């Protein structure tokens, strides 16, 4: 028997030949139906999963898992929604508590990170507001949000690179959309954003779950990503002076790194990081790269947020520096200048 | 009206109408309903009230968010007792 399952619709549709029936989440009797009922049952749901040679119990198990993922995604979007001030406090607090429970399921956690890393947050996205509803005890959710927060710049870069791949590479717009859906669900966008952020060399062997039949796309994507980097890193001659580059690294950062601990309070940290951020931004603006200045300054703010969040959790494990991805930008810029 | 004329009486109350408009049969062929085609956009602002005949299999958060969405659009939410 074959089965088609959608977590969004909460339906498992099973059929063999002309015989068909469906099961609606959270369980219950199998209801006989016709093949023609398919569109009525699934509506506009696009999260379809297909099973071959499936027993009813297989379809039911898949349905439970898919509903858990779909609901978790819906709930985290509710938590992050800042439209018109966002949902009421009661809803967002409830969302945070629900999500912490959902994230104990490894498959749900994996699914959320794969999907959320595939697109930068929209202007209505309210990460800072969301943190207000995530107390320290909700560690799984807090970790996911911090991770998301820190990677926004890199997610945007990876998405720009994806959009820069010519549609002809895919064949058609439809095939392009299908490829994107498959790569998102395989974690390709997330893995690339993380590699980019970590400053590690990005190569074609990177993604672990990459769909094999789409392997030729990866090279084009990485090339576009490198081009995106270069477009944002055509630096003026000031970077030919390596001492100038080194000077851009604010002394305040090492000061804080060496001295922050039990002796320094969070307020001191805030001041020092602000100084460092302003200094670097000023340098970059003088270097004629206001866009780059903004990007790195933003990364800096994200790093600062992380440090503050971590400081609330585990103070001794703090370390301070620019995000590795930001330094990768600077290094790359220097290479470009030096040819 | 022609289809439901026999079932609407002077004593019929407003609360009886949803049941007249949609009744699920044991199999889809036995469903009874009035099919309406809407040409043009339909949004939450077109609704006056929503009646939940049974609780959907949602978490508390999803129910709260649903109620909040309706309240923002000034739509009443009723749950069948």
């Amino acid at each position: 028997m074959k089965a088609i399952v959608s977590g969004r619709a909460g339906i498992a549709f099973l059929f063999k030949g002309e015989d068909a029936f469906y099961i609606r989440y959270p369980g219950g009797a199998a209801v006989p139906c016709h093949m023609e009922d398919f569109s009525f049952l699934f509506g506009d749901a696009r999260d379809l999963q297909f099973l071959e040679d499936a027993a009813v119990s297989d379809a039911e198990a898949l349905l439970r898992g898919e509903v858990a993922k779909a609901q978790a995604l819906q709930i985290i979007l509710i938590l992050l929604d800042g439209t018109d001030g966002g949902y009421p406090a009661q809803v967002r607090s409830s969302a945070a508590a629900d999500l912490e429970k959902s994230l104990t399921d490894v498959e749900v956690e994996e699914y959320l990170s794969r999907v959320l890393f595939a697109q930068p947050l929209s202007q209505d996205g309210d990460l800072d507001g969301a943190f207000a509803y995530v107390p320290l005890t909700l560690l799984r959710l807090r970790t996911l949000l911090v991770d998301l927060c820190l990677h926004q710049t890199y997610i945007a870069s990876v998405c720009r690179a994806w959009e820069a791949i010519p549609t002809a590479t895919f064949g058609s717009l439809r095939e392009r959309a299908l490829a994107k859906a498959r790569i998102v669900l395989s974690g390709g966008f997330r893995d690339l954003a993380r590699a980019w952020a970590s400053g590690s060399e990005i190569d074609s062997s990177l993604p672990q779950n990459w769909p094999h039949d789409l392997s030729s796309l990866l090279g084009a994507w990485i090339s576009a990503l490198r081009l995106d980097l270069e477009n944002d890193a055509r630096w003026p001659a000031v970077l030919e002076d390596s001492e100038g580059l080194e000077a851009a690294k604010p002394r305040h950062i090492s000061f804080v790194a060496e001295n922050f601990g039990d002796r320094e309070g969070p307020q001191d940290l805030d001041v020092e990081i602000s100084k460092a951020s302003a200094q670097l931004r000023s340098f970059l603006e003088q270097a004629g790269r206001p866009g780059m200045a903004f990007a790195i300054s933003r990364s800096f703010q994200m790093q600062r947020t992380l440090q503050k969040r971590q400081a609330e959790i585990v103070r001794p494990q703090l370390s301070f520096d620019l995000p590795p991805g930001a330094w990768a930008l600077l290094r790359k810029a220097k290479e470009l200048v030096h040819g | 009206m022609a289809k439901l004329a026999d079932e609407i009486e002077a004593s019929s109350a407003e609360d009886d109408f949803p049941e007249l408009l949609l009744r699920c049969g044991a199999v889809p062929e036995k469903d009874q309903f009035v099919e309406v085609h809407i040409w043009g956009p339909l949004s939450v602002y077109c609704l006056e009230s929503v009646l939940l005949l049974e609780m959907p299999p949602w978490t508390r958060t999803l129910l709260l968010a649903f109620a909040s969405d309706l309240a923002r659009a000034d739509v009443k939410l009723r749950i069948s007792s």
Side-chain angles (χ1 to χ4, degrees):
Chain A
M1 184 162 279
K2 294 178 179 177
I4 303 173
V5 174
S6 162
R8 191 170 165 78
I11 293 282
F13 182 84
L14 296 99
F15 59 99
K16 186 174 187 179
E18 287 300 307
D19 295 329
F21 62 92
Y22 69 87
I23 298 167
R24 193 180 291 279
Y25 178 83
V31 181
C33 62
H34 299 296
M35 297 300 283
E36 296 80 7
D37 295 324
F38 184 89
S39 59
F40 168 72
L41 290 168
F42 287 100
D44 60 357
R46 292 287 176 270
D47 60 333
L48 305 182
Q49 298 287 325
F50 298 85
L51 287 178
E52 297 276 349
D53 298 324
V56 173
S57 57
D58 296 332
E60 285 176 329
L62 182 61
L63 177 60
R64 280 194 297 276
E66 291 302 302
V67 168
K69 290 178 192 172
Q71 291 198 347
L73 180 59
Q74 206 175 342
I75 292 171
I76 202 163
L77 294 178
I78 287 168
L79 176 66
L80 292 170
D81 189 358
T83 312
D84 298 332
Y87 279 91
Q90 183 194 18
V91 179
R92 294 180 90 175
S93 294
S94 175
D98 271 3
L99 284 164
E100 184 68 12
K101 274 187 222 158
S102 300
L103 288 169
T104 57
D105 182 333
V106 176
E107 287 194 17
V108 171
E109 182 190 20
E110 186 71 10
Y111 172 76
L112 284 185
S113 74
R114 288 177 182 188
V115 172
L116 293 171
F117 271 67
Q119 185 75 30
L121 283 179
S122 71
Q123 286 192 333
D124 290 328
D126 180 24
L127 259 171
D128 289 341
F131 272 115
Y133 299 96
V134 185
L136 295 175
T137 49
L138 306 187
L139 201 54
R140 287 187 179 85
L141 178 57
R142 188 166 269 255
T143 302
L144 175 64
L145 292 183
V146 167
D147 203 22
L148 191 60
C149 190
L150 279 171
H151 285 85
Q152 285 301 299
T153 304
Y154 311 107
I155 292 169
S157 184
V158 166
C159 287
R160 276 198 306 275
W162 173 266
E163 294 303 324
I165 304 172
T167 298
T169 309
F170 301 89
S172 68
L173 282 172
R174 184 173 176 277
E175 285 173 274
R176 180 185 191 117
L178 284 173
K180 182 173 183 180
R182 292 179 62 204
I183 293 169
V184 168
L185 291 177
S186 75
F189 277 74
R190 180 198 59 188
D191 294 345
L192 214 48
R194 281 193 171 147
W196 178 199
S198 72
S200 61
E201 183 59 28
I202 298 168
D203 61 50
S204 55
S205 62
L206 179 74
Q208 293 178 348
N209 304 309
W210 188 270
H212 291 300
D213 57 316
L214 297 177
S215 57
S216 61
L217 277 178
L218 186 55
W221 195 5
I222 290 173
S223 297
L225 188 57
R226 290 194 171 122
L227 196 61
D228 186 75
L229 167 65
E230 288 170 13
N231 284 341
D232 207 19
R234 292 184 191 119
W235 287 59
V238 64
L239 286 175
E240 289 177 9
D241 175 8
S242 60
E243 287 182 7
L245 182 63
E246 194 56 35
K249 186 174 180 179
R251 285 181 295 108
H252 295 295
I253 295 180
S254 53
F255 169 80
V256 174
E258 287 165 11
N259 295 287
F260 183 80
D262 291 338
R263 287 175 294 165
E264 301 277 342
Q267 285 182 338
D268 298 320
L269 165 69
D270 213 30
V271 169
E272 295 302 331
I273 295 286
S274 289
K275 281 183 193 168
S277 178
Q279 192 173 339
L280 182 61
R281 185 168 186 158
S282 166
F283 169 79
L284 292 167
E285 283 172 352
Q286 285 170 19
R289 298 298 305 166
M292 175 77 82
F294 176 76
I296 294 183
S297 177
R298 183 72 179 150
S299 295
F300 225 141
Q301 289 168 15
M302 295 297 124
Q303 185 79 348
R304 185 173 151 205
T305 304
L306 173 68
Q307 305 296 9
K308 287 169 76 176
R309 306 293 177 203
Q310 283 185 339
E312 293 165 0
I313 304 170
V314 199
R315 178 167 295 187
Q317 292 183 359
L318 292 175
S319 64
F320 295 91
D321 205 338
L322 275 176
W327 280 110
L329 272 174
L330 290 170
R331 279 199 302 275
K332 183 65 183 175
K334 193 175 167 189
E335 284 170 21
L336 288 171
V337 169
H338 289 292
Chain B
M1 281 300 292
K3 178 173 181 174
L4 301 172
D6 291 345
E7 299 184 58
I8 300 175
E9 298 169 0
S11 59
S12 295
E14 193 177 329
D15 285 350
D16 298 330
F17 295 159
E19 176 69 14
L20 293 178
L21 290 171
L22 177 62
R23 272 169 287 182
C24 293
V27 292
E29 289 86 345
K30 299 292 182 186
D31 288 349
Q32 288 293 320
F33 54 88
V34 173
E35 188 170 330
V36 178
H37 290 257
I38 298 171
W39 297 94
L42 179 68
S43 76
V44 70
Y45 296 100
C46 301
L47 306 177
E48 183 179 300
S49 71
V50 170
L51 171 65
L52 289 181
L53 295 174
E54 60 185 61
M55 293 300 281
W58 296 343
T59 65
R60 178 172 173 269
T61 302
L62 292 176
L63 283 169
L64 287 171
F66 180 62
S68 172
D69 286 338
L70 293 179
R72 276 191 205 186
D74 203 21
V75 179
K76 295 182 188 70
L77 173 63
R78 294 185 297 148
I79 297 171
S80 182
S81 53

